[in-house]
Amino acid sequence: MHIFRILIVCLVSILMASSSVFSGEKALPDDFCYLDRVMPDAVYDVRYFSKNNFVGERIDGYRAPRVILTRSAALALSGVQRDLAPFGIGLKIFDGYRPQDAVLHFVRWAENLEDTRMKKQFYPEVQKKNIFRDGYIAEKSSHSRGSTVDLTLIDIKSGQELDMGTGFDFFGPKSWPGNKDMSMQVRSNRALLRSVMVRNGFKPLKEEWWHFTLEFEPYPETYFNFPVQ
């Protein structure tokens, strides 16, 4: 009976350890966290876990529809949410930390000029052969350093995204935050997003209205490759 109890305890311990591994909670470096633990009220639309992205398939390294960031970036982003909430505006998060495996998946896709299944939605005015030249795809991404986030603004009551002129990950000048050809409403919405992000310590990217990196990121030279799970 004593041996049987020992076996039961060992089995329970193994199952608990396995559960932790599969949940991914112990797979993160110490300075990283799941954003939904810090910001449970944000809306999450993890495009690279789905087929609704410029590749048209789930991306390598995304094993769960979750967003990971460094703790410092997550805390700064929670400040953005606090600033917006009194005005009935919230955040929708598309991506945060991005494994290097995912970046390499993008590179392979860009090299395959025959695969244009998502062209109409994501890059109708861009020739795929020019995607590397024009900088839409690169062999390294700031996302892999853990302190870059892709996001937009939403109306909290309706859940609708504010009009930003293009969708997330649209390749082309229409996505440039400073594009003066966009409507006044679009420019106003982009300016609001930019101003509240900058005020909370993020710096924008001039080619993508949705892309922001923590100015004083903790790993400016390190590119991680653990999975999102």
Side-chain angles (χ1 to χ4, degrees):
M1 180 66 70
H2 181 66
I3 294 176
F4 181 74
R5 286 181 178 176
I6 293 176
L7 289 173
I8 291 295
V9 170
C10 290
L11 180 60
V12 170
S13 298
I14 291 171
L15 289 174
M16 290 179 65
S18 298
S19 176
S20 297
V21 170
F22 286 119
S23 69
E25 298 298 337
K26 291 188 177 181
L28 301 184
D30 291 339
D31 291 342
F32 285 74
C33 65
Y34 289 98
L35 191 56
D36 54 19
R37 293 291 184 89
V38 179
M39 298 170 54
D41 295 333
V43 174
Y44 296 89
D45 182 8
V46 186
R47 295 290 188 86
Y48 300 139
F49 183 73
S50 74
K51 295 181 179 180
N52 184 19
N53 56 64
F54 61 85
V55 177
E57 61 192 38
R58 186 183 298 180
I59 305 304
D60 292 351
Y62 288 84
R63 302 178 185 174
R66 302 188 75 180
V67 174
I68 296 169
L69 283 176
T70 59
R71 294 184 186 279
S72 51
L75 290 174
L77 196 61
S78 68
V80 174
Q81 184 169 248
R82 284 194 300 271
D83 286 353
L84 292 169
F87 303 97
I89 298 174
L91 297 176
K92 176 182 280 190
I93 317 296
F94 299 116
D95 195 30
Y97 158 74
R98 184 179 303 165
Q100 182 62 26
D101 280 345
V103 177
L104 295 178
H105 191 160
F106 294 162
V107 170
R108 293 193 301 273
W109 167 82
E111 291 173 341
N112 180 8
L113 300 183
E114 301 301 317
D115 183 356
T116 57
R117 58 188 137 156
M118 305 302 286
K119 179 176 175 60
K120 183 177 180 180
Q121 181 177 349
F122 290 96
Y123 53 105
E125 300 172 3
V126 174
Q127 294 298 314
K128 193 174 182 184
K129 65 180 181 179
N130 296 329
I131 281 179
F132 274 117
R133 184 199 69 184
D134 295 341
Y136 296 111
I137 298 293
E139 294 183 351
K140 286 188 175 181
S141 168
S142 63
H143 281 275
S144 300
R145 304 195 298 261
S147 296
T148 293
V149 62
D150 293 335
L151 76 174
T152 193
L153 301 175
I154 61 169
D155 178 276
I156 292 176
K157 184 176 292 186
S158 68
Q160 294 296 311
E161 297 179 16
L162 273 60
D163 185 4
M164 294 295 181
T166 74
F168 164 62
D169 260 356
F170 184 89
F171 296 176
K174 290 180 180 178
S175 292
W176 297 355
N179 189 321
K180 296 181 179 180
D181 293 331
M182 310 308 289
S183 71
M184 184 60 69
Q185 185 62 62
V186 166
R187 292 165 64 187
S188 176
N189 291 340
R190 290 181 176 184
L192 173 60
L193 177 59
R194 176 191 174 103
S195 64
V196 72
M197 291 295 287
V198 170
R199 186 164 64 247
N200 282 276
F202 290 88
K203 55 185 179 182
L205 184 68
K206 65 179 182 179
E207 296 87 2
E208 298 174 354
W209 58 259
W210 57 82
H211 178 114
F212 296 87
T213 299
L214 190 67
E215 185 169 7
F216 298 107
E217 56 182 312
Y219 299 103
E221 303 296 334
T222 304
Y223 295 82
F224 294 89
N225 194 31
F226 58 88
V228 177
Q229 59 183 2

